[in-house]
Amino acid sequence: MADSGDAGRVADPAAGRRWRISNPGSLNRMGRPVAYTLLPDAGPTLLAQPGSPVAERVTYATKHLWVTRYRPERHYPDGDYPNQHRGGAGVGQWSRPGEALEDTDLTLWHSFGPTHLPRLEDWPVMPVDTCGVTLRPTGFFDRNPTLDLPRETGRGSGGHCHL
C-alpha cells in the first residue's frame, strides 16, 4: 500500500489474514526487511447501518486496520472530539488519497473487540468477554532469541547444546 487512500483493511479469518509492516531500510542477515506481523483477532466490523449518524462518526470501526502517516497531533482514531462532529474526522479524514505511506513513519489503527450479544448472566454487570491482538516481530533476530544456552566447547566437555 503506497497511498493513504488504500490503507483500510478488513480481517478475513477464513483466509488467516495478517498484515506485515516492514522497514526496507533495515535488513536482517537473510537480506530481508525486518518487520512486525499484526495477527488480528477478527470480529465483526461496526454493525450500524452504513450512512447512519453512528457510522459516519465512527469511521474507524468500519474496518479492522487503518494505516496513516504518523502525525504527532493525531491521538485518537476518531479525531479529538468524536461526539461533536458530524462525521469524517479521524482515520476517515486521514485516509483520503494523497499521503504517501512508503519510507515514512506510520501509525497503525487496529479496531478490535467483541460484539456483545447479551445473556441473562450479563445483567446487571457483564462478567467478562475477551478479545486481543498479537504484534509479532518477524525477521528481527538472526535466530530464536530464547535459545541462549552456552555453546558446546568440544567432545567430552559434557555439553549438550548443538547450536
Side-chain angles (χ1 to χ4, degrees), residues 87-109:
V91 294
Q93 179 182 18
W94 307 328
S95 296
R96 293 190 181 124
E99 280 193 326
L101 297 178
E102 292 183 3
D103 297 322
T104 188
D105 291 334
L106 301 175
T107 301
L108 273 64
W109 307 91

Side-chain angles (χ1 to χ4, degrees), residues 36-131:
Y36 281 100
T37 300
L38 177 68
L39 303 157
D41 185 11
T45 55
L46 182 68
L47 297 176
Q49 182 73 28
S52 69
V54 170
E56 294 294 320
R57 291 207 329 251
V58 293
T59 305
Y60 71 90
T62 62
K63 298 198 188 299
H64 292 110
L65 179 72
W66 298 88
V67 180
T68 61
R69 193 176 193 131
Y70 171 75
R71 301 268 190 246
E73 67 276 6
R74 295 177 179 173
H75 297 279
Y76 310 106
D78 204 25
D80 288 333
Y81 306 102
N83 294 327
Q84 298 175 7
H85 66 77
R86 292 186 169 276
V91 294
Q93 179 182 18
W94 307 328
S95 296
R96 293 190 181 124
E99 280 193 326
L101 297 178
E102 292 183 3
D103 297 322
T104 188
D105 291 334
L106 301 175
T107 301
L108 273 64
W109 307 91
H110 180 42
S111 300
F112 63 95
T115 297
H116 181 210
L117 301 173
R119 308 171 303 149
L120 184 59
E121 295 85 358
D122 292 339
W123 191 89
V125 177
M126 186 171 143
V128 68
D129 207 343
T130 61
C131 62

Side-chain angles (χ1 to χ4, degrees), residues 10-18:
V10 175
D12 182 359
R17 180 156 299 151
R18 58 192 62 207

